[in-house]
Amino acid sequence: MLDVPEFVKQRCRGDNNRTETVKHLELSFFNGGVDTLYPANDLYPADNLYPSDAGTPWLTIPMAQICAETLSLTENLSSGSNIIWGSCEAAKFVVTVADVEDEIEGREFTAALSIGDYKMAYGIYVVDSVVKQADRRKRKITAYDRMIKFDVDVSDWYHAMYPTDDTTHTIQELRDSLCEHIGVPQQQTVLINDEMVVGKTISPESLCGRDVLKAICEINGVFGHFDRTGMLTYISLQDTGLYPSDTLYPGDDLYPQSGWAAAEELEYYRSITYEDYLIDGIDRVQVRQEEGDIGAVVGSGSNAYVVEGNFLAYGLGSADLTKLAWSIYDSIAGKTYRPAKIVSYAMPWIEVGDGLRAITTDTEIATFVLTRTMSGIQAMMDTVEAKGTKTQGQSFGVENEIIQLKGKTAVIVRSVDEVSATVTDLEKHTTAQLKVVSDQITAEVKRATDQEVELAAAISVAADKIDLKVSKGDVCTQITAESSNGGQIILNAPGALIINAGNTKLDAGGHMELTGATFHGCVNTGSMGADVINANHVETDRLNCDGSMTVNGSATLNGITYANRISCYSIYSELAGSTWSDKRLKKGIRNIALEDARSLILGLKGVTYKTKRSGMDAMGFVAQDVVKLLHKLELSYPLVDRYDGYLALQYQNLIPLIIANEQAEHQDIKQIMMDIKQIKEDLYGK
């Protein structure tokens, strides 16, 4: 909670028709970005400390250019249906300004809120998008705080931190180095697992910086959040003590206890909704590498929080894993609150993670500020919400597509459908599994290192078949014994199989003689010579025709068809969209907004390029650029499809947009002509 004088709080609670209660918002852009401007909340707003070495702003947007009541600031500590420790969510700042023509997209700025003669920091943000409004004067700015700076690939940083497999770092060294690499200041504090030593546990081709920060925060039982001074802070939820035990309330010596006594008490609010239950505090913590892994479990309760897939915990032995679980347990256990949503006067001194108390007609609500949105300026309101089911009921973890180097797992599955045990040792590169289902038993052992291809041996037993399989890479030997057709044995081996029987001969070269041979079903051969082949059904992986090929009737091609040239009288395709346009075949017909068309056409970036397959010169647009443009404009026009894992543009759908843009331009020209005519009449008369 920010250290704001009580008289300022009273101003926020009062009306806005007095000089001392009028609010002013100011945005300041500096060349080269914003350094750390605010050294401490308890020192601000001393003139010699705020801002510090900021210099003269490159651009200042004063209150006079900020459209009335358009401000919205959304901050999240953990916005999901249950608390996820380690969350690092970015704050969103939205405001509409007028008569600002400078290019500010991608720039960093400070926001300051003045209440009367009191000025407070309102955050440091990076402009994500600037969208012109219908009147062409106003521009809607959408910005996010410095958390989005972590949304970059830091795999090079990780490899530099771990040049060898024997290199180790403490958690504190990792977070200090990461913040320096990203270029953001952080709170000087000691986290519970800062001294934990971590080796090289992954080999990432790409690694998101925010995922690393999430892993660090999760391992310490905290949340990552940028405060109003632009500094990365690590937030822990305050202790809730004995409150809110319904059986003890309202004893004065028991209610409220601990952290709730320091919670902000709401004297007034516009509305409040809340659940009839209290969130059960976490009473059990499990740290594991994957779902089903035993890992380490501490605590004796049933409301478990699961730390899963955190790469910082890979490779830890049983004792260290248990120690880690206990430290996380001590940080997150026992936090209880009532899920609620409160709408009240603005409380800019409140921060996410703070506690709130509000008295209703029948009870007192105590909850955490997990999400909040301050909206408006003069009539600024606060919407605070804390979600949560009564019990945790979920498992969490930082999900990364990275290559794990160290770690041991023992996964046991017991259900009515399956009983299995899988043991994995990543350092030895071995996995062994025994699996029993209702109709089959399988046992398999695999090994694969960087220096060798995968080795595997497996046995599968079913009621009517036994399989024995040994493989080395693509080389596989398999024996199958089946009970069908009176019993048979099938041998598949890469080496020579020699048979010398009265009616069957097979030599080491693969030549076979069959007396009175008759083939039914499928025949696979490397080559076959025949003048005529008559078949009801032919399957082939590849068909080469040196001459012409004629197909009488329909042909169905599944998959991608490549051709240097296609000649035909007509092509009918729903995807092409160029044949059928009958109104009877369409539904949900809506006119294209002219301003949408104008924004899309003006935002498209034409490029020239060479195609990788053919090397041909071409021109057009990049599908990813179009997707980004649609997201930026918050539009959902069908311009991009996905085929075989790649993005494709529906160029034909650009035609209506081009026409709509021309119509918009025509309207503008028409309006200009009318304006010119009016000016002439005013000057010279009719």
Side-chain angles (χ1 to χ4, degrees):
M1 190 178 302
L2 299 178
D3 185 14
V4 174
E6 184 61 31
F7 74 88
V8 177
K9 296 181 180 180
Q10 292 299 329
R11 290 177 181 179
C12 291
R13 299 179 183 121
D15 54 43
N16 60 354
N17 56 8
R18 294 171 291 149
T19 302
E20 65 268 19
T21 60
V22 173
K23 303 178 183 69
H24 295 272
L25 180 68
E26 185 177 84
L27 312 181
S28 300
F29 295 78
F30 297 85
N31 280 321
V34 183
D35 294 330
T36 304
L37 303 181
Y38 322 100
N41 292 331
D42 58 344
L43 298 177
Y44 177 76
D47 293 335
N48 64 329
L49 291 171
Y50 173 82
S52 174
D53 300 325
T56 303
W58 164 74
L59 172 67
T60 298
I61 303 177
M63 187 65 194
Q65 291 178 255
I66 297 175
C67 299
E69 308 306 297
T70 60
L71 173 64
S72 174
L73 173 60
T74 299
E75 299 173 295
N76 298 313
L77 192 69
S78 181
S79 59
S81 58
N82 282 299
I83 292 179
I84 300 178
W85 272 271
S87 294
C88 299
E89 301 190 34
K92 183 179 181 180
F93 184 98
V94 180
V95 71
T96 300
V97 300
D99 302 322
V100 177
E101 297 299 329
D102 301 85
E103 291 295 330
I104 59 176
E105 188 169 342
R107 285 185 174 267
E108 196 171 49
F109 68 92
T110 66
L113 182 68
S114 298
I115 305 173
D117 58 353
Y118 187 88
K119 185 178 182 182
M120 68 175 62
Y122 213 60
I124 300 178
Y125 306 94
V126 180
V127 178
D128 181 71
S129 66
V130 181
V131 180
K132 281 191 175 182
Q133 303 302 288
D135 64 357
R136 316 287 286 195
R137 286 186 57 230
K138 300 174 184 176
R139 304 170 78 184
K140 182 179 180 182
I141 299 174
T142 301
Y144 297 90
D145 69 13
R146 286 173 162 178
M147 188 63 73
I148 64 171
K149 289 179 175 286
F150 284 90
D151 294 335
V152 294
D153 184 9
V154 296
S155 56
D156 290 341
W157 163 83
Y158 184 85
H159 291 304
M161 291 292 292
Y162 292 99
T164 69
D165 292 342
D166 298 326
T167 306
T168 60
H169 291 286
T170 65
I171 293 291
Q172 182 172 359
E173 290 172 342
L174 285 176
R175 67 181 177 91
D176 289 347
S177 177
L178 178 64
C179 289
E180 182 179 0
H181 177 76
I182 297 297
V184 297
Q186 65 168 328
Q187 174 189 15
Q188 297 303 309
T189 186
V190 177
L191 303 180
I192 57 173
N193 285 311
D194 266 350
E195 298 305 313
M196 175 178 155
V197 178
V198 179
K200 185 179 182 181
T201 62
I202 57 175
S203 178
E205 294 183 0
S206 65
L207 183 63
C208 180
R210 197 179 321 195
D211 287 341
V212 178
L213 182 62
K214 288 179 181 178
I216 292 172
C217 291
E218 184 182 48
I219 220 78
N220 285 286
V222 296
F223 308 87
H225 178 71
F226 277 90
D227 65 13
R228 305 286 176 75
T229 72
M231 181 173 296
L232 176 61
T233 61
Y234 305 96
I235 298 177
S236 300
L237 294 182
Q238 61 191 27
D239 292 331
T240 57
L242 297 179
Y243 175 83
S245 174
D246 294 329
T247 59
L248 298 176
Y249 177 77
D252 294 335
D253 59 335
L254 293 171
Y255 174 82
Q257 293 288 326
S258 185
W260 293 121
E264 181 77 7
E265 184 173 352
L266 290 179
E267 297 178 4
Y268 312 100
Y269 55 84
R270 176 174 291 182
S271 66
I272 182 169
T273 57
Y274 56 91
E275 300 292 348
D276 292 332
Y277 58 82
L278 302 172
I279 298 295
D280 291 341
I282 300 298
D283 52 19
R284 190 181 187 200
V285 171
Q286 181 180 22
V287 182
R288 66 190 188 191
Q289 295 188 40
E290 61 185 51
E291 186 176 1
D293 179 26
I294 299 173
V297 182
V298 300
S300 57
S302 59
N303 191 31
Y305 188 88
V306 181
V307 177
E308 180 180 303
N310 192 309
F311 72 92
L312 298 175
Y314 290 169
L316 295 181
S318 178
D320 290 335
L321 208 59
T322 300
K323 181 180 178 182
L324 174 62
W326 274 120
S327 67
I328 297 174
Y329 178 91
D330 292 338
S331 179
I332 71 174
K335 313 292 186 183
T336 184
Y337 62 95
R338 189 180 298 275
K341 182 178 181 179
I342 304 171
V343 180
S344 73
Y345 52 81
M347 300 175 289
W349 58 90
I350 291 293
E351 299 179 288
V352 289
D354 289 345
L356 283 183
R357 289 190 290 146
I359 299 176
T360 68
T361 56
D362 56 354
T363 189
E364 184 169 36
I365 305 301
T367 192
F368 290 115
V369 181
L370 299 184
T371 69
R372 66 99 54 90
T373 298
M374 285 187 290
S375 56
I377 301 178
Q378 301 307 326
M380 185 178 289
M381 299 296 294
D382 228 327
T383 301
V384 174
E385 187 171 9
K387 300 178 182 178
T389 57
K390 184 170 177 55
T391 57
Q392 192 67 33
Q394 296 183 17
S395 59
F396 308 101
V398 179
E399 298 179 358
N400 293 311
E401 294 182 0
I402 53 181
I403 301 173
Q404 186 176 343
L405 298 178
K406 294 183 179 180
K408 299 178 181 179
T409 61
V411 179
I412 299 176
V413 177
R414 292 187 293 266
S415 69
V416 296
D417 299 315
E418 173 188 338
V419 176
S420 66
T422 304
V423 180
T424 301
D425 190 326
L426 291 179
E427 289 189 277
K428 295 182 179 180
H429 307 280
T430 57
T431 300
Q433 183 185 65
L434 177 64
K435 183 177 181 179
V436 180
V437 295
S438 63
D439 59 353
Q440 191 176 34
I441 301 173
T442 58
E444 185 176 33
V445 178
K446 292 182 179 180
R447 189 189 78 192
T449 68
D450 296 336
Q451 292 76 35
E452 68 181 9
V453 297
E454 182 180 82
L455 303 175
I459 299 176
S460 175
V461 180
D464 58 347
K465 184 171 68 174
I466 299 176
D467 278 330
L468 173 64
K469 182 178 178 181
V470 180
S471 62
K472 182 178 181 180
D474 296 331
V475 180
C476 176
T477 299
Q478 183 174 356
I479 299 176
T480 301
E482 297 182 341
S483 64
S484 60
N485 299 321
Q488 59 182 9
I489 298 176
I490 304 170
L491 172 64
N492 295 314
L497 174 63
I498 300 174
I499 300 176
N500 188 2
N503 60 348
T504 305
K505 294 183 179 181
L506 177 64
D507 61 24
H511 303 97
M512 177 178 285
E513 296 181 7
L514 299 175
T515 302
T518 300
F519 297 97
H520 298 282
C522 181
V523 177
N524 296 315
T525 180
S527 64
M528 177 181 291
D531 295 330
V532 178
I533 298 177
N534 294 318
N536 293 326
H537 183 74
V538 177
E539 292 185 5
T540 179
D541 293 333
R542 184 173 181 179
L543 178 64
N544 293 324
C545 297
D546 295 330
S548 63
M549 182 175 69
T550 302
V551 178
N552 296 318
S554 63
T556 301
L557 304 177
N558 297 317
I560 300 176
T561 302
Y562 299 99
N564 293 328
R565 181 176 180 182
I566 298 176
S567 299
C568 58
Y569 293 105
S570 62
I571 296 178
Y572 298 92
S573 171
E574 290 184 348
L575 295 176
S578 60
T579 301
W580 296 288
S581 193
D582 194 298
K583 183 177 181 180
R584 294 168 296 176
L585 300 176
K586 303 175 180 180
K587 62 180 181 179
I589 299 174
R590 295 183 294 111
N591 292 332
I592 296 174
L594 300 185
E595 285 301 318
D596 290 350
R598 188 196 304 270
S599 298
L600 277 168
I601 295 300
L602 293 178
L604 290 173
K605 297 186 293 186
V607 297
T608 62
Y609 58 91
K610 288 183 178 291
T611 59
K612 288 186 177 181
R613 282 197 175 110
S614 65
M616 295 176 59
D617 292 322
M619 62 176 61
F621 308 106
V622 177
Q624 284 81 355
D625 292 343
V626 178
V627 171
K628 183 179 179 181
L629 179 61
L630 289 169
H631 289 170
K632 177 180 177 180
L633 299 176
E634 299 180 353
L635 299 175
S636 59
Y637 289 113
L639 299 178
V640 182
D641 282 331
R642 185 179 295 273
Y643 298 109
D644 196 33
Y646 294 94
L647 299 181
L649 289 178
Q650 296 191 23
Y651 279 93
Q652 76 280 357
N653 286 352
L654 290 173
I655 297 174
L657 294 173
I658 294 172
I659 293 174
N661 181 62
E662 289 295 323
Q663 291 172 343
E665 295 292 340
H666 179 74
Q667 289 184 3
D668 290 344
I669 293 172
K670 186 177 179 181
Q671 182 61 47
I672 291 171
M673 295 300 294
M674 292 175 63
D675 292 342
I676 292 173
K677 182 180 178 182
Q678 183 63 47
I679 292 170
K680 287 182 177 180
E681 291 177 354
D682 294 341
L683 290 173
Y684 307 110
K686 297 183 179 180

